[in-house]
Amino acid sequence: MLRYLTSRIVATFVMALLATLIVFLIVSLVPGDPVLSQLGDMAASNPEIVKAYRAKWGLDLPLYEQYWIFLTRLLNGDLGISITSQRPVMADIAQYAPATIELGTIAFILSVVIGVPFGIAAAVARDSWIDHSARFISLIGVSSPVFWLAFIMLTVFYGWLQIAPGPGRLDPIDLPPPRVTGAFLIDSALASRWDLLHTAVAHLVLPSIVLCAATLGLITRTTRASMLDTLGQDYVRVARAKGLRERAVIVAHALPNALIPVVTLGGLAYANLLTGTVMTETIFSWPGLGLYTFRSALALDIPAIMGMTLVFAFVYLLINLLVDLSYAVLDPRVLKR
Amino acid sequence: MNHVRILPVTRRDVMRLLGIGGGAAIGASLPGFEALAQSRKETLVIGMDIRDTNNLDPARDLHYTPPMTIHACYDTLLTMTPGDYINLKPALATKWARTPDGKGWRFTLRDNVKFVTGNTMTAQDVKYSLDRVNYIGYQASQYLTNVTEVKVIDDKTIDVMLKNPAEPILTILAAPSFSITDSKLVAANGGDATTDSKTKDKATEWLNQTSVGTGPYKLAEWQRGSQIQLVANPSYWGGKPPYQRVVVRHFEDAAAQLLSLRRGDIDCAFNLLPEQIATLKGEKDIGVEGHASLDFIYIALSHNPEFNKALAVKEARQAIAHAIDYDGIIKNLIGGAGTRPVSFIPTGLLGSTEKLTQEIGFREDIPRAKQLLQKAGFPDGFEFEIIYGNGAIAGTTYHVLGQKLQSDLARVGIKLKLGPMPQVNLRTLYNGGKMSATLVYWNPPAVENALWSWATVQRVAKRLHWTPPADLVKLVDAAAVETDQKKAEQLYIEYQKQMVDVANLIVLFQPIYQVGVRRSIKDFPLTAAGWQLDVGGVKPS
């Protein structure tokens, strides 16, 4: 087990580095000059300023040297300075990550808490109204474009019914709670600011519903399919033949086996929720990593792009690792293999 | 399908979730809500896309939205009244005149002006602030290249000495970049205004979280990517500011901004699209305020025959200029919210009016365009590529403009190839002079005619591989140093005539920005001078 873990962790680091190398090469191939997006028209026409600026960001060095600098800095835990925000990429990530993690996690919890029971119920009561509605809802969830759904939700619940608050993490007149984690739910609770906690929760409702829609659909469908498959297995028939109660058959015998594909999918879906929030963040003016990455890419902000590549690579690799480890819990045979 | 009863389930789910979500409604019964409602009345909330705000240090300001905030927190020596971009108005300086030797300008400072920090503003602060901008070497320092020295004469008097005393400087000093900061506090927090400030100055990160100016408001907090919070400066020399707090709320999306304006969560919305503005007509609580900007969208055509043989010929460029349906662009693509200058000097400035455009500017004239093509030696037209950024502009997109131009030019047989690309790639190609034609945007860093006209014969000319005739360069220089307003106006009109003849820069329109404003606001002084809104002058009804 330990050997397996070590090799997986080493592989994780190597893969993350490879990802940065590939992204670095791609970004460097783009013909744009990142300096120009950060200089005014007059300064950009002054060769001296442009030269000094390129030197400041190390853009005048040969490619391999730029990458080498990136690697040595990385060893010291330094991701360099973002060209756009002109401050450490680490500071930017620390600034924007909590908003995304908070939103992505809530959306993930929502999709699991609703999706898994729904999927099980649909499979157990196959072809009943629960089953049909589960399939209908997951179809809608998977096929609605996020930007459309986000806007419809905002128009209906914020604009017409006026029961949900508008875009942003808090109301415009609120000052955020003292920063501890950056996640407003936690920080406002720590500061005993229940009014802020209330506002922060309210502001999370619409974006997390929008964000979880597609994932919810996927999880429901997968749970249903996997459960149906498991329920048809011999050991389930044996369990029933032994005279076990239906509840015990489903919860103790079928469910753990049925959950394995759901866990795999859930892990990937979580990683996807953490890294793929651009549209939701755009419409809800959510100051998170998705928008940060998107803008860094548009501005060819190489240090920021590299930093985000690392973060995203780690998120995926780490979650995959956790998924693999969780198999061992769900299915002890995995360890023996 | 009648057994697909999805609604009972989802409604329960959704309502349960929204039970938490109904924060606004439940909030009304919570203790403390009254105080909150009170503070909402005393708070001005500005809805605006501020994604380009990446710092709030006046010396490093270069993007589009920061000047509004900077102008709310700081004052400059001189300023401009919204709507009048020709005559200057006193701000921190009450009087200005030539220095006795005639080589610079002498400013007399206003008495008893206190910084929000409590310190009194002196000539030393002015010197420190201008020196810091100059030596930090950012965009704004480019406008001070004519300044040789900023000299403190006494506490209330300061001289700005110039290399070429005739060249304009007063209008430039009205830009928010040249804001006066409390030198003691900036220096104490990492500021540097010596010739080494390029490397030594470390005050920006501090100035991003607080402000040390003399303006009506003070920066309380900037939450990156979400909002900027300002509080009233009780010791403001211009009287008590009308609001206790100002919040500049970031919106990434225009539709969400409109919803928030309608709900009253924001008091004004700056980034509405023309079709959204149209839906506001007849609304009881919301009005629309428009202000002509000094920005414009233009086509630049390269003279380099290696890129395109036809474009190198003057008559061919003129043919393009005569084949464009300017009125159609303004009327149909930007909802009529625009005007058009003759050439590279926006209307509203000295020597540029819409009337003049009717008289001497480009006009749509298809027969004339065809004649010009004959004359140019391309009777059957020609083909060229135009590059532009992937992005929205003034309520439309460059791509839509490109398609409109494509169909306009096709009428005279000119085939336009469209080349959309990321903005940064576009700038790389345009700055390097590596394109046959481009469709881009120009916005002023400071309101001074010469900054536009110089650009056309200097750096823009270079990008277009164009050597402007010596007479034209002389004309531009003469106009810049002419102190008699009437004469200067004539010189600028002559300059524009010549630019029309060269036809390498074709301005399509100068947008009139439309801002949705709730009627809870009485005064809303929008300005084209570079900071969009005089935040200090916004008053509730």
Side-chain angles (χ1 to χ4, degrees):
Chain A
M1 178 73 188
L2 197 66
R3 240 185 77 196
Y4 172 71
L5 201 60
T6 329
S7 68
R8 278 301 302 266
I9 289 173
V10 171
T12 300
F13 278 93
V14 174
M15 303 256 278
L17 278 184
L18 271 178
T20 63
L21 180 62
I22 294 167
V23 171
F24 180 78
L25 290 176
I26 295 173
V27 173
S28 307
L29 283 177
V30 177
D33 184 347
V35 161
L36 294 180
S37 66
Q38 295 312 315
L39 289 177
D41 192 72
M42 203 156 169
S45 301
N46 182 334
E48 250 171 68
I49 292 187
V50 173
K51 211 175 133 199
Y53 217 80
R54 292 182 63 85
K56 184 177 168 193
W57 300 105
L59 294 166
D60 52 346
L61 300 171
L63 277 188
Y64 64 89
E65 222 169 301
Q66 286 185 39
Y67 189 66
W68 181 247
I69 291 175
F70 167 78
L71 285 185
T72 44
R73 274 208 197 118
L74 192 62
L75 280 180
N76 298 316
D78 178 6
L79 287 173
I81 309 276
S82 152
I83 300 177
T84 321
S85 72
Q86 296 167 8
R87 55 182 206 155
V89 173
M90 278 296 212
D92 280 344
I93 293 177
Q95 164 108 33
Y96 295 116
T100 298
I101 295 175
E102 194 169 56
L103 178 59
T105 307
I106 300 277
F108 179 67
I109 293 175
L110 275 184
S111 34
V112 171
V113 168
I114 300 173
V116 171
F118 211 19
I120 295 172
V124 172
R126 194 178 176 180
D127 286 331
S128 72
W129 64 271
I130 296 188
D131 189 20
H132 289 299
S133 46
R135 275 192 289 175
F136 187 69
I137 288 170
S138 55
L139 194 68
I140 298 230
V142 175
S143 55
S144 314
V146 169
F147 64 90
W148 178 85
L149 189 62
F151 191 63
I152 292 293
M153 295 291 267
L154 207 53
T155 307
V156 172
F157 295 106
Y158 173 60
W160 296 349
L161 300 178
Q162 312 212 342
I163 51 173
R169 294 178 77 189
L170 292 173
D171 291 339
I173 50 169
D174 292 323
L175 289 170
R179 190 185 170 97
V180 183
T181 60
F184 285 177
L185 294 187
I186 300 173
D187 285 359
S188 48
L190 286 178
S192 304
R193 288 288 308 276
W194 308 116
D195 56 327
L196 277 188
L197 179 66
H198 190 270
T199 317
V201 170
H203 276 264
L204 266 166
V205 174
L206 291 187
S208 50
I209 290 178
V210 168
L211 193 59
C212 87
T215 320
L216 173 64
L218 272 181
I219 288 189
T220 311
R221 273 172 51 149
T222 314
T223 311
R224 178 184 175 275
S226 173
M227 198 69 189
L228 276 179
D229 189 40
T230 317
L231 286 175
Q233 297 288 324
D234 289 344
Y235 60 82
V236 173
R237 214 169 298 148
V238 171
R240 282 194 178 126
K242 282 194 295 188
L244 282 179
R245 276 182 304 145
E246 187 63 13
R247 197 190 174 88
V249 172
I250 290 166
V251 175
H253 291 249
L255 191 58
N257 290 304
L259 278 186
I260 289 186
V262 180
V263 169
T264 315
L265 177 87
L268 279 177
Y270 186 40
N272 195 30
L273 286 177
L274 290 179
T275 58
T277 49
V278 182
M279 283 321 298
T280 315
E281 285 181 10
T282 300
I283 293 181
F284 289 98
S285 296
W286 203 261
L289 283 183
L291 276 179
Y292 178 68
T293 315
F294 179 61
R295 273 186 222 147
S296 306
L298 282 187
L300 285 183
D301 185 343
I302 298 173
I305 297 173
M306 301 296 283
M308 289 317 299
T309 308
L310 262 183
V311 169
F312 286 172
F314 268 114
V315 166
Y316 269 99
L317 294 167
L318 194 73
I319 287 180
N320 265 331
L321 180 63
L322 289 178
V323 165
D324 284 358
L325 293 178
S326 70
Y327 287 165
V329 180
L330 287 169
D331 183 357
R333 286 175 305 177
V334 171
L335 278 184
K336 296 197 180 107
R337 258 183 248 151
Chain B
M1 286 295 279
N2 59 355
H3 55 283
V4 184
R5 279 176 298 168
I6 52 152
L7 276 177
V9 176
T10 42
R11 189 185 291 153
R12 202 165 56 222
D13 277 332
V14 170
M15 288 320 265
R16 197 179 63 231
L17 291 165
L18 288 170
I20 319 168
I26 301 166
S29 59
L30 289 178
F33 183 78
E34 272 163 42
L36 213 62
Q38 191 63 33
S39 77
R40 178 67 188 88
K41 239 185 222 166
E42 290 170 354
T43 305
L44 168 69
V45 186
I46 299 171
M48 190 185 256
D49 185 335
I50 50 169
R51 74 180 79 180
D52 68 331
T53 295
N54 66 0
N55 78 70
L56 294 171
D57 176 352
R60 291 184 204 262
D61 147 45
L62 76 98
H63 288 287
Y64 199 74
T65 60
M68 181 183 77
T69 306
I70 292 174
H71 186 264
C73 300
Y74 298 89
D75 289 303
T76 41
L77 289 175
L78 314 164
T79 190
M80 287 177 181
T81 319
D84 178 0
Y85 310 113
I86 297 172
N87 303 299
L88 288 156
K89 201 180 87 170
L92 289 183
T94 48
K95 277 191 295 191
W96 55 95
R98 286 284 177 184
T99 50
D101 63 0
K103 289 184 180 157
W105 287 92
R106 173 162 291 179
F107 299 89
T108 309
L109 301 183
R110 193 176 289 277
D111 284 328
N112 299 320
V113 173
K114 278 206 183 331
F115 286 109
V116 68
T117 58
N119 294 330
T120 305
M121 191 258 317
T122 67
Q124 197 55 49
D125 296 304
V126 177
K127 175 175 168 56
Y128 184 91
S129 308
L130 297 183
D131 280 353
R132 184 164 172 266
V133 176
N134 196 4
Y135 297 131
I136 251 176
Y138 256 62
Q139 170 82 358
S141 71
Q142 296 293 298
Y143 304 106
L144 296 182
T145 46
N146 189 35
V147 174
T148 52
E149 197 192 356
V150 181
K151 257 198 307 206
V152 174
I153 303 302
D154 60 47
D155 262 7
K156 291 275 154 262
T157 317
I158 191 141
D159 287 356
V160 175
M161 306 308 293
L162 304 171
K163 257 183 238 158
N164 178 356
E167 276 186 15
I169 187 77
L170 297 179
T171 39
I172 290 173
L173 289 178
S177 287
F178 307 104
S179 289
I180 309 307
T181 54
D182 183 337
S183 60
K184 291 189 195 82
L185 269 117
V186 175
N189 287 282
D192 188 288
T194 66
T195 42
D196 293 335
S197 59
K198 208 174 252 177
T199 50
K200 280 194 182 156
D201 183 87
K202 305 274 181 237
T204 300
E205 199 48 23
W206 181 71
L207 286 169
N208 281 340
Q209 290 307 330
T210 190
S211 69
V212 287
T214 55
Y217 294 96
K218 176 187 190 296
L219 174 62
E221 192 181 10
W222 169 28
Q223 298 148 244
R224 282 174 188 262
S226 67
Q227 59 191 15
I228 300 170
Q229 300 256 4
L230 309 177
V231 291
N233 170 8
S235 54
Y236 178 51
W237 57 272
K240 188 176 168 273
Y243 290 93
Q244 279 300 312
R245 287 168 62 194
V246 176
V247 178
V248 186
R249 178 83 156 175
H250 172 64
F251 282 87
E252 196 75 27
D253 179 69
Q257 202 173 114
L258 179 65
L259 279 175
S260 292
L261 179 69
R262 286 218 160 100
R263 277 287 304 266
D265 279 350
I266 56 177
D267 297 306
C268 53
F270 272 80
N271 310 95
L272 303 180
L273 304 175
E275 57 267 29
Q276 293 170 332
I277 287 286
T279 67
L280 289 177
K281 293 235 164 75
E283 207 144 318
K284 196 169 87 251
D285 301 325
I286 302 169
V288 175
E289 302 268 341
H291 70 114
S293 66
L294 301 179
D295 312 336
F296 52 71
I297 287 89
Y298 67 102
I299 299 172
L301 302 170
S302 176
H303 292 235
N304 190 341
E306 280 172 34
F307 297 145
N308 191 299
K309 277 203 187 67
L311 292 182
V313 182
K314 186 169 92 176
E315 285 77 13
R317 295 194 302 269
Q318 288 173 338
I320 294 173
H322 283 97
I324 298 172
D325 170 24
Y326 301 98
D327 295 342
I329 291 176
I330 293 179
K331 222 170 92 194
N332 303 325
L333 296 189
I334 58 168
T339 162
R340 186 167 66 96
V342 175
S343 175
F344 232 61
I345 293 182
T347 62
L349 292 191
L350 190 65
S352 175
T353 58
E354 213 175 349
K355 193 166 151 271
L356 192 70
T357 310
Q358 307 291 339
E359 289 162 15
I360 64 168
F362 297 117
R363 73 171 68 91
E364 183 189 11
D365 187 342
I366 303 295
R368 174 98 190 270
K370 283 183 177 156
Q371 274 172 20
L372 284 161
L373 279 176
Q374 287 268 352
K375 219 168 145 195
F378 299 94
D380 304 322
F382 57 90
E383 183 179 340
F384 73 101
E385 188 190 19
I386 192 160
I387 58 170
Y388 50 83
N390 296 324
I393 182 76
T396 178
T397 63
Y398 290 106
H399 193 60
V400 168
L401 283 168
Q403 287 170 329
K404 167 73 177 152
L405 292 172
Q406 195 175 43
S407 72
D408 283 357
L409 296 183
R411 298 180 299 180
V412 296
I414 299 174
K415 223 178 131 200
L416 187 60
K417 228 174 104 194
L418 302 181
M421 58 179 65
Q423 203 69 38
V424 55
N425 295 7
L426 174 82
R427 283 207 71 183
T428 308
L429 291 177
Y430 184 31
N431 274 56
K434 294 192 184 80
M435 72 329 141
S436 54
T438 180
L439 175 64
V440 278
Y441 172 79
W442 188 277
N443 77 297
V447 184
E448 166 52 53
N449 281 38
L451 292 180
W452 280 272
S453 52
W454 272 331
T456 56
V457 295
Q458 294 168 5
R459 58 184 199 273
V460 174
K462 225 179 263 170
R463 290 174 205 165
L464 302 182
H465 302 264
W466 171 49
T467 319
D471 286 352
L472 182 64
V473 178
K474 243 187 246 160
L475 175 66
V476 168
D477 287 343
V481 301
E482 180 55 64
T483 48
D484 183 328
Q485 227 175 59
K486 275 259 151 3
K487 281 186 199 156
E489 188 177 354
Q490 284 313 311
L491 292 173
Y492 277 118
I493 291 176
E494 179 55 33
Y495 154 76
Q496 292 171 84
K497 275 187 189 155
Q498 296 200 21
M499 289 305 291
V500 167
D501 183 59
V502 177
N504 52 11
L505 295 168
I506 305 165
V507 178
L508 296 181
F509 62 89
Q510 185 181 334
I512 295 174
Y513 292 119
Q514 312 235 66
V515 184
V517 184
R518 289 192 71 85
R519 302 214 194 272
S520 53
I521 290 178
K522 190 177 66 181
D523 292 347
F524 197 72
L526 290 160
T527 173
W531 53 89
Q532 301 196 65
L533 174 69
D534 246 343
V535 177
V538 179
K539 293 194 183 86
S541 21

